[in-house]
Amino acid sequence: MIINGEYRRTIWVKDGDSRLIQTFDQRLFPHEVKIIDVKTSEEAGIAIKDMIVRGAPLIGAMAAYGIYLAAVEFSGDDIITYLNERKDFLNETRPTAINLSWALNEQFNAIQGITSKSAIIEALLNGANKIVEDDVETCRMIGQHGLQIIEEIAADKPGEVVNILTHCNAGWLACIDWGTATSPIYQAHQKGIKVHVWVDETRPRSQGANLTSFELNEQGVPHTLITDNTGGHLMQHNLVDMVIVGTDRTTRSGDVANKIGTYLKALAANDNHVPFYVALPSSTIDWEIRDGVKEIPIEMRSADEVKYVFGKGKNGVESVLICPLTTPAANYGFDVTPARLVTGLITEKGVCAASEEGLISQFPEQKR
Amino acid sequence: MIINGEYRRTIWVKDGDSRLIQTFDQRLFPHEVKIIDVKTSEEAGIAIKDMIVRGAPLIGAMAAYGIYLAAVEFSGDDIITYLNERKDFLNETRPTAINLSWALNEQFNAIQGITSKSAIIEALLNGANKIVEDDVETCRMIGQHGLQIIEEIAADKPGEVVNILTHCNAGWLACIDWGTATSPIYQAHQKGIKVHVWVDETRPRSQGANLTSFELNEQGVPHTLITDNTGGHLMQHNLVDMVIVGTDRTTRSGDVANKIGTYLKALAANDNHVPFYVALPSSTIDWEIRDGVKEIPIEMRSADEVKYVFGKGKNGVESVLICPLTTPAANYGFDVTPARLVTGLITEKGVCAASEEGLISQFPEQKR
């Protein structure tokens, strides 16, 4: 997609230097566009942990390049032991998104049976590049399938704007290109359908305000920033035609872990008969678990993300304290929306019901 | 209640100068405790409009003193015409809270038939003082009735902490003393019941973070600040025993207008069988309307309250921009929670069902 009028991706191998991975420092959006060099597996892990990169697919891509960089940086005899150690390190940087371990497992599959260091390096670079290219295609396909839903809504209100609410950033900045939840929106916009996006601020970290409004702005998609409290009121007053969100992990029964607050929007959508869709690459499906509320680990992050808000003040970009310094805060990063509240899942394969049956219809190889 | 270890109210007539009303500048909490002088009806209106004071009961009290100050400042022949003009001005400062017009009507009733300026001034000062004293007693009684609910919950989990979630600030800072939603909490705390409060940040304006956590902190009540997105997750995991919120306007059928986002918490409470109570002085009941979603006017406030967050940075108290400067934002101040989602209303008369029947049982004089 576009930043400052130029086509960009969120992560790339530097032209002419295959040992240098580059990415944007997403902590500085929308106030600053800064490119970060990632040269070691350690730096890749830090980029994930410190949320220089975020978003399940992009985390997966960074982890894939991270294990590639581990092979590059290794000097010694037992490269596989070292790669396993770095895999554990990378796996532990963020607990909720399943793409992280998925991407690392893909990479280990790619080097099965290979013994020479140079061949391992080559396979891991190719593997990471493939994860990236596959993600672009996956997101493009999610957009194609989701576009049909938007087209149907548009057909029901000819000439009128289709109002779509989204939470957090499941945009191209969370992926490599297109995004998941935003892909149908971008494709509808490119096709000339009048869309307008209600952007949830998404506290803490305000990824809606910082990232989603930034990327919609850069693409020229009409949008309005709202607080996380507002969606219910809008739905009560018929100001939302559909909700599309992303997910960090989806159970085989269709429960959806996503940024904290998603569940509240799903309840409001349900109460007001507004369709609630979740867009996801199949890599975010955790086929091993059924009950999302009970089984998906929810990341607890620093209290400071709640107590401080990051933004641009008179003296530049900084964080301001919004409560008494001594007030404790709790920072649950995600919540789980039960499948019963989800109208449909949009994957690269199509749209299906949020249920084991629905998912198995798209991925019959997962049938037990 | 207590600020900096001293007993205070939120509004008072200055000792030795009955023409000077004083209040705290609530826009600066928790970072600064600053007292503001209000000397004219104009300043009273600005104090309400600019949210130096906020909270339905406190707005009512400020309006009552405002019309008193109008009488004080008047020089001319037709004081009643002037007072009516100032009444309109004060009435238009905030549209949602009904206490504003209720307090002004009370004041006009108090001067019915009085013609001399000095007698009008005296009646309006007494009237405003009475509104203030009545509010203190009303809030105390709300606390007494709500306390019983907390005691029942505490009895069901002996030795354990009672976890209460609240949204926005329906605390003593929104009233004169005690608060509405916080009154049962303070009374339970004073009685030695172990309570812990989940404080919703409450964007925009962050009154939960700025005010509720401040006042709980000053009173020594255990609490934890959370983002507005978090309540649903906590309820899914049995971490909330009850929700208590305030209201800016309640319909005769028990629909409740309160700070935007209240509806989302009510949906989550309903979905997780968590009791959801609304604490209110009867002055916030609008007996003239039934359908809150359709009939209660919802204030639209400045987009900047969404785009900027106020807090304390390195260089003092300021607002920081959290989105691209060109991103539009919408700022709906309130939403309406339908009566079906409300477990009970706690008024100064007791606890009743959120229904016309329930309310009429407490206020039979309103029967039609």
Side-chain angles (χ1 to χ4, degrees), chain A residues 31 201 203 210 217 223 225 229 236 263 271-272 311-312 314-315 318 321-322 326-328 330 336 340, chain B residues 31 201 203 210 217 223 225 229 236 263 271-272 311-312 314-315 318 321-322 326-328 330 336 340:
Chain A
H31 310 295
E201 172 184 10
R203 283 272 295 142
N210 291 340
N217 220 26
H223 64 287
L225 179 66
N229 284 322
Q236 281 179 322
Y263 167 53
D271 202 44
N272 294 285
K312 189 172 191 173
K314 279 185 217 105
N315 302 292
E318 68 165 327
L321 175 69
I322 60 162
T326 52
T327 280
V336 173
R340 67 184 151 88
Chain B
H31 310 295
E201 172 184 10
R203 283 273 295 143
N210 291 340
N217 220 25
H223 64 287
L225 179 66
N229 284 323
Q236 281 180 321
Y263 167 52
D271 201 45
N272 293 285
K312 190 173 190 172
K314 281 185 215 104
N315 303 292
E318 68 165 327
L321 175 70
I322 60 162
T326 52
T327 280
V336 173
R340 67 184 151 87

Side-chain angles (χ1 to χ4, degrees), chain B residues 115-347:
Chain B
T115 50
S116 91
K117 185 184 160 184
S118 64
I120 286 175
I121 290 175
E122 196 191 333
L124 289 175
L125 178 58
N126 290 340
N129 288 340
K130 182 173 184 310
I131 283 171
V132 160
E133 294 304 327
D134 286 354
D135 188 71
V136 173
E137 179 58 14
T138 294
C139 287
R140 196 185 66 78
M141 287 308 298
I142 288 170
Q144 284 288 299
H145 301 306
L147 170 61
Q148 291 175 27
I149 301 168
I150 297 175
E151 285 178 323
E152 279 163 30
I153 294 169
D156 274 353
K157 46 189 293 193
E160 285 181 65
V161 171
V162 177
N163 287 298
I164 302 171
L165 185 140
T166 192
H167 189 66
C168 199
N169 178 260
W172 79 272
L173 294 174
C175 305
I176 312 300
D177 203 352
W178 291 111
T180 53
T182 54
S183 186
I185 296 168
Y186 288 135
Q187 296 193 30
H189 179 68
Q190 288 180 2
K191 228 182 150 175
I193 297 169
K194 282 191 229 161
V195 288
H196 165 261
V197 185
W198 295 109
V199 179
D200 273 0
E201 172 184 10
T202 323
R203 283 273 295 143
R205 297 194 72 85
S206 310
Q207 290 102 327
N210 291 340
L211 302 175
T212 304
S213 59
F214 171 67
E215 60 167 275
L216 293 171
N217 220 25
E218 295 291 311
Q219 272 30 253
V221 176
H223 64 287
T224 304
L225 179 66
I226 51 173
T227 66
D228 300 311
N229 284 323
T230 309
H233 174 75
L234 296 177
M235 294 185 214
Q236 281 180 321
H237 292 271
N238 299 316
L239 294 167
V240 180
D241 294 304
M242 73 184 292
V243 180
I244 316 182
V245 297
T247 167
D248 293 81
R249 193 186 296 212
T250 307
T251 68
R252 71 182 287 126
S253 58
D255 291 348
V256 169
N258 191 43
K259 173 78 181 193
I260 191 88
T262 302
Y263 167 52
L264 294 171
K265 301 311 144 57
L267 285 168
N270 186 256
D271 201 45
N272 293 285
H273 314 290
V274 173
F276 184 95
Y277 287 95
V278 180
L280 63 145
S282 58
S283 55
T284 62
I285 304 170
D286 185 342
W287 295 102
E288 301 311 314
I289 60 179
R290 277 204 163 74
D291 187 331
V293 174
K294 287 199 185 129
E295 297 180 77
I296 297 176
I298 299 299
E299 179 177 6
M300 294 285 296
R301 297 185 56 86
S302 158
D304 281 354
E305 291 184 354
V306 176
K307 295 177 67 172
Y308 292 83
V309 174
F310 167 84
K312 190 173 190 172
K314 281 185 215 104
N315 303 292
V317 170
E318 68 165 327
S319 289
V320 294
L321 175 70
I322 60 162
C323 63
L325 192 60
T326 52
T327 280
N331 184 359
Y332 298 84
F334 301 85
D335 64 18
V336 173
T337 300
R340 67 184 151 87
L341 300 174
V342 179
T343 309
L345 301 173
I346 310 171
T347 79

Side-chain angles (χ1 to χ4, degrees), chain A residues 69-82:
Chain A
L69 291 171
V72 170
E73 77 208 8
F74 179 73
S75 63
D77 289 332
D78 187 359
I79 190 169
I80 297 299
T81 301
Y82 181 70

Side-chain angles (χ1 to χ4, degrees), chain B residues 62-80:
Chain B
M62 180 58 83
Y65 283 118
I67 204 73
Y68 154 68
L69 291 171
V72 170
E73 76 209 10
F74 178 73
S75 62
D77 288 332
D78 188 359
I79 190 169
I80 297 299

Side-chain angles (χ1 to χ4, degrees), chain A residues 214-237:
Chain A
F214 171 67
E215 60 167 273
L216 293 172
N217 220 26
E218 295 291 312
Q219 275 26 255
V221 177
H223 64 287
T224 304
L225 179 66
I226 51 173
T227 65
D228 300 310
N229 284 322
T230 309
H233 174 75
L234 296 176
M235 294 185 214
Q236 281 179 322
H237 292 271

